[in-house]
Amino acid sequence: MTKVSPVLGEQMQMEAIMSVSADVSFASDRFPKYRIGPDYEIFDEEKEDPQGPSLKEVIVQETAQLVEQHKRLSVRDLASKFDKNLTAAAKLSDEAKIREVASLEGHVLLKKLRDALESLRGRLAGRNKEDVEKAISMVEALAVKLTQKEGELIQEKFEVKKLANFLKQASEDAKKLVSQERSYACAEIESARAVVQRIGEALEEEERISQTSGKQELKELMEEVQEARRIKLLHQPSKVMDMEHELRALRLQIREKSTIYIKLQKELAMSKRAEENGFSLYEFVGSETLGSSLRIQPCVDEAQDLSKCSIQWYRMPTEGSRREFIAGANKSIYAPEPFDVGRFLEVDIASNGQKVAVTTTGPIAAAAGLANHLDTLLRKPNTEFNVVISQMNGRNYSSNSVHLFQVGKMRMKLSKGWITKARESYSTPMQLCGFRGGGNSAAKSLFWQARKGQSFVLAFESERDRNAAIMLARRYAFECNVVLAGPEDVAFI
């Protein structure tokens, strides 16, 4: 059994320590304190960073400040800020280069330290060898950690370089913008100076002209004033008032005579038609205008009761021309609709094999103010009317609640609140006309067939709303190449 003396052990340790290269320098006189975790992960003691915030934090902070101040900085201040940031980016780039050099020196030091520990491990045995192996593993872990730090440093260097290029380009753009704005400002200043000079010259020229022509204009003005005074003296106010009263009286007489003339003309036409058709048994009651209702009534005692007669209404473009059948108009009351304006209406009354025809004295006249009201509605994209449903699908509708009837440029809609009764685009199956079923509210009602199998009779608040809705819907449908008319109506506009 060999005996090893303590002196020999100390000599071997000293020889191992002296074999380390002489150019290796350590940051401190003691070995740093590390703790090895699972998977040989090294944890060192946390200590404050004497160099301040990291490079990435500086970049993020500077970028946020640039974004916040971009809206309130002028072009000149922005260019100055870009220059400062460019300088800061260059400084950060230099610091990154210094860190890269320091990282390279760290790799060299770690390699030399590992070589020294490897040589020392070959000379030691027992527990000292285990300590050396543990130190070697710690050095290898430090090398891995240093490599990771070096990767982060390369990434930060790339970001700094990218930010520097961006700031450099932005600084050049800002300088160009400043130069361009300066040139624009100079051009505007020169233009303003030229305008001011031209205005000054024009004012001087006007002053010279006014001095030469002022006396002549004053003389002409005095002559005009004198002539006006002379004319005023020649006309006495009393004579003018008498002439105005006479003109007013003449206007009233002309209006009364025009009314009497129209009335006599209608009576003459009725008597002439009675002579042509023989003895007339029936006549119309009501105004022959759009928005009113025409009612047939007997004018002699020998006339048959209308409830026992069959009635059919027709429209004629001109008196005596070919008649056009009005489907569904078979009651004693008929409300003219916009299609009837400018046309004669005629009704056939048949009873006991005899037929009597009654014709209006003139064409149906348009409603006053309806054209202007329609022009106002055409300026809106959609027009809404309050209506009450009288019939639905040919049956009486029991509810009298108010619905909303919307006439748009592409479609029509009937709804109550969020419930939609019907909503259809303009198409060939759609029909729209005045209500032809008679009754006291015929002038306020219309018939609308949204599609085959779905029809409504809607009562409006006034005759004007009913006629405006019909004319508005027909105008929009015509723009969609669709003609809206009643059942069996001739397609005309």
Side-chain angles (χ1 to χ4, degrees):
M1 184 174 180
T2 306
K3 184 179 179 180
V4 180
S5 62
V7 179
L8 181 59
E10 292 178 358
Q11 289 178 358
M12 292 176 64
Q13 291 178 3
M14 290 297 294
E15 289 177 359
I17 293 172
M18 292 300 294
S19 63
V20 178
S21 176
D23 57 352
V24 175
S25 61
F26 296 94
S28 61
D29 55 352
R30 63 186 178 86
F31 199 81
K33 295 180 179 180
Y34 293 97
R35 181 170 56 86
I36 300 177
D39 298 332
Y40 297 99
E41 186 178 1
I42 298 176
F43 299 93
D44 54 353
E45 292 181 353
E46 296 182 358
K47 56 183 179 179
E48 297 181 355
D49 189 4
Q51 297 181 358
S54 64
L55 181 63
K56 186 179 294 184
E57 294 177 355
V58 173
I59 293 172
V60 173
Q61 185 178 2
E62 290 292 332
T63 305
Q65 291 178 358
L66 283 175
V67 171
E68 292 176 359
Q69 297 178 1
H70 180 266
K71 295 182 178 179
R72 61 186 179 86
L73 289 177
S74 63
V75 178
R76 192 184 303 276
D77 296 338
L78 191 60
S80 176
K81 188 67 178 178
F82 280 147
D83 291 338
K84 291 180 181 179
N85 289 332
L86 187 61
T87 305
K91 184 176 179 181
L92 291 175
S93 179
D94 295 338
E95 292 179 358
K97 290 180 181 179
I98 295 173
R99 290 186 182 182
E100 185 178 0
V101 174
S103 176
L104 182 61
E105 292 179 356
H107 278 290
V108 174
L109 292 177
L110 288 176
K111 187 176 183 307
K112 291 182 179 181
L113 181 58
R114 187 178 182 285
D115 294 341
L117 291 176
E118 286 289 342
S119 62
L120 184 62
R121 183 177 62 178
R123 298 178 183 180
L124 296 178
R127 186 172 182 179
N128 293 330
K129 186 175 181 180
E130 292 178 358
D131 293 339
V132 170
E133 289 178 352
K134 186 182 293 186
I136 290 173
S137 63
M138 293 172 65
V139 170
E140 290 177 351
L142 283 173
V144 172
K145 190 173 183 179
L146 185 60
T147 304
Q148 294 176 355
K149 292 290 184 179
E150 185 178 5
E152 294 177 359
L153 182 62
I154 292 172
Q155 182 66 25
E156 291 178 356
K157 180 180 178 183
F158 174 75
E159 293 178 358
V160 168
K161 185 176 180 181
K162 183 177 180 181
L163 179 62
N165 293 332
F166 170 74
L167 293 174
K168 184 177 180 181
Q169 182 65 31
S171 178
E172 293 177 357
D173 294 341
K175 289 179 180 179
K176 291 179 180 179
L177 186 59
V178 168
S179 177
Q180 187 177 2
E181 293 295 332
R182 185 182 292 111
S183 62
Y184 288 162
C186 292
E188 290 179 359
I189 290 171
E190 292 297 331
S191 177
R193 286 177 180 175
V195 171
V196 170
Q197 185 176 0
R198 288 196 299 270
I199 292 173
E201 293 176 356
L203 289 175
E204 292 177 358
E205 183 68 21
E206 185 178 359
E207 186 177 359
R208 287 196 300 267
I209 294 173
S210 62
Q211 289 178 357
T212 57
S213 61
K215 296 181 180 180
Q216 183 67 24
E217 291 179 356
L218 182 60
K219 185 177 179 181
E220 293 177 356
L221 182 61
M222 290 176 66
E223 293 177 355
E224 291 179 0
V225 170
Q226 291 177 0
E227 183 67 17
R229 288 177 179 176
R230 188 182 66 82
I231 294 172
K232 185 177 180 181
L233 291 174
L234 291 175
H235 292 80
Q236 297 180 3
S238 60
K239 292 183 179 181
V240 175
M241 292 178 65
D242 292 340
M243 292 176 66
E244 289 180 355
H245 288 304
E246 291 178 3
L247 287 173
R248 190 177 296 114
L250 289 173
R251 289 194 187 99
L252 292 175
Q253 293 179 6
I254 292 172
R255 190 177 302 167
E256 292 176 357
K257 290 183 178 180
S258 298
T259 305
I260 295 172
Y261 171 75
I262 294 172
K263 186 177 180 180
L264 291 174
Q265 190 176 14
K266 289 185 177 180
E267 292 179 356
L268 181 62
M270 291 177 65
S271 62
K272 183 178 179 181
R273 189 175 292 108
E275 291 177 358
E276 292 177 355
N277 300 332
F279 187 67
S280 180
L281 300 177
Y282 302 93
E283 64 180 358
F284 286 129
V285 177
S287 178
E288 298 177 356
T289 58
L290 182 63
S292 62
S293 297
L294 292 176
R295 182 189 297 270
I296 307 170
Q297 71 175 11
C299 58
V300 293
D301 295 336
E302 292 80 4
Q304 186 73 19
D305 188 5
L306 292 174
S307 61
K308 300 178 181 180
C309 301
S310 62
I311 300 171
Q312 180 59 52
W313 292 79
Y314 300 89
R315 65 169 65 95
M316 297 183 296
T318 58
E319 187 177 7
S321 61
R322 182 179 179 182
R323 302 188 302 180
E324 296 170 0
F325 179 78
I326 304 177
N330 51 13
K331 303 294 182 181
S332 61
I333 298 177
Y334 176 75
E337 65 157 78
F339 270 170
D340 299 326
V341 175
R343 294 170 173 82
F344 290 83
L345 292 179
E346 189 175 65
V347 60
D348 286 348
I349 305 171
S351 175
N352 297 327
Q354 296 181 354
K355 183 182 292 186
V356 178
V358 182
T359 310
T360 56
T361 58
I364 301 299
L370 182 60
N372 296 331
H373 182 58
L374 184 64
D375 292 338
T376 303
L377 297 180
L378 286 172
R379 298 188 185 100
K380 303 177 182 179
N382 295 299
T383 304
E384 297 177 348
F385 301 93
N386 293 325
V387 298
V388 175
I389 300 177
S390 301
Q391 295 180 9
M392 185 167 65
N393 297 328
R395 298 180 180 179
N396 293 333
Y397 195 73
S398 59
S399 176
N400 293 325
S401 58
V402 178
H403 290 66
L404 199 65
F405 184 60
Q406 186 182 83
V407 180
K409 292 187 176 181
M410 301 302 296
R411 64 184 181 184
M412 290 193 293
K413 177 182 177 182
L414 179 63
S415 62
K416 181 183 178 183
W418 55 273
I419 301 175
T420 301
K421 296 285 186 181
R423 180 174 58 188
E424 294 294 331
S425 300
Y426 298 110
S427 60
T428 304
M430 184 179 292
Q431 295 179 359
L432 184 72
C433 63
F435 180 56
R436 301 168 180 176
N440 295 327
S441 62
K444 299 181 181 179
S445 303
L446 63 79
F447 170 78
W448 178 42
Q449 178 179 298
R451 61 177 183 270
K452 290 184 178 180
Q454 186 181 30
S455 62
F456 302 91
V457 175
L458 307 177
F460 287 74
E461 294 179 341
S462 63
E463 294 83 355
R464 189 179 74 166
D465 288 348
R466 174 254 204 180
N467 295 321
I470 294 175
M471 297 174 70
L472 196 65
R474 287 174 176 171
R475 177 74 64 86
Y476 290 149
F478 182 73
E479 293 176 357
C480 299
N481 296 325
V482 176
V483 177
L484 285 183
E488 302 181 20
D489 276 352
V490 179
F492 60 88
I493 296 296

